[in-house]
Amino acid sequence: MSSRADEIVFYTNPQSRGRIVRWMLEEVGQPYRTEVLSFGEGMKSPQYLAINPMGKVPAILHRGMVVTEGAAICSYLADAFPAAGLAPALDDPRRGEYFRWLFFAAGPVETAVSAKALGLLAPPEKAGTVGYGSFEQTVDTLETAVAGASPWLLGEQFTAADVYVGSQVLWGTMFKTLPARDAFSVYGQRLQSRQAWQRATALDDALIPPRG
């Protein structure tokens, strides 16, 4: 039985990137307490700014340590709870590939997709100055990664990299911020078949106020 000090406190909003961390928490399988924050006043309150000065979710508090940023939280939880098998062991050479795709999604993919949605992509002559190079190059590389998933990015082992990369693929497919690719569709269907994804989705959907 976990002590109060070991409790995971999860700060989120069901219509935010907190859904990534909710999925990760469900994969980890440890008990956690959810604190739902509203956009604006809730996330900008002095109490929450003391946790995350950015005034954004998600964030977790665990063993007195605050962790923010979705990819960092996923990586932290995978290492904090190794029995869940969501990361290669420290001496496993596949850990390099694990971090590669986890942070490729957090860096180039997230940035390129956001920049395109906002009409702020770097012009071709400046591609060398941005981490994602070009939107097309980033999408092609992402497609190569998920097309090679058999069934997951590290083969038979599902990891936190699949949670984070998979979230980018599922969102990009849903909101059409990524082009339609067969590899994205096939990988996405495998992700959505996971019980942890289904539980997380149901929990977050239940927290969204009905329209009207």
Side-chain angles (χ1 to χ4, degrees), residues 24-110:
M24 183 65 186
L25 286 164
E26 290 297 318
E27 292 283 358
V28 167
Q30 295 293 317
Y32 61 93
R33 174 164 59 89
T34 303
E35 295 285 343
V36 178
L37 301 174
S38 61
F39 291 106
E41 184 176 348
M43 295 183 197
K44 305 302 182 184
S45 68
Q47 294 83 358
Y48 186 65
L49 289 174
I51 293 169
N52 185 2
M54 289 289 287
K56 296 172 71 69
V57 293
I60 65 167
L61 177 63
H62 182 231
R63 297 175 182 168
M65 179 65 63
V66 171
V67 188
T68 67
E69 316 313 316
I73 296 170
C74 288
S75 180
Y76 171 85
L77 288 171
D79 286 345
F81 300 98
L86 294 166
L90 292 177
D91 61 351
D92 189 328
R94 295 179 307 149
R95 199 165 172 86
E97 186 176 14
Y98 163 75
F99 281 125
R100 174 191 181 185
W101 294 123
L102 181 62
F103 292 105
F104 174 73
V109 173
E110 170 84 13

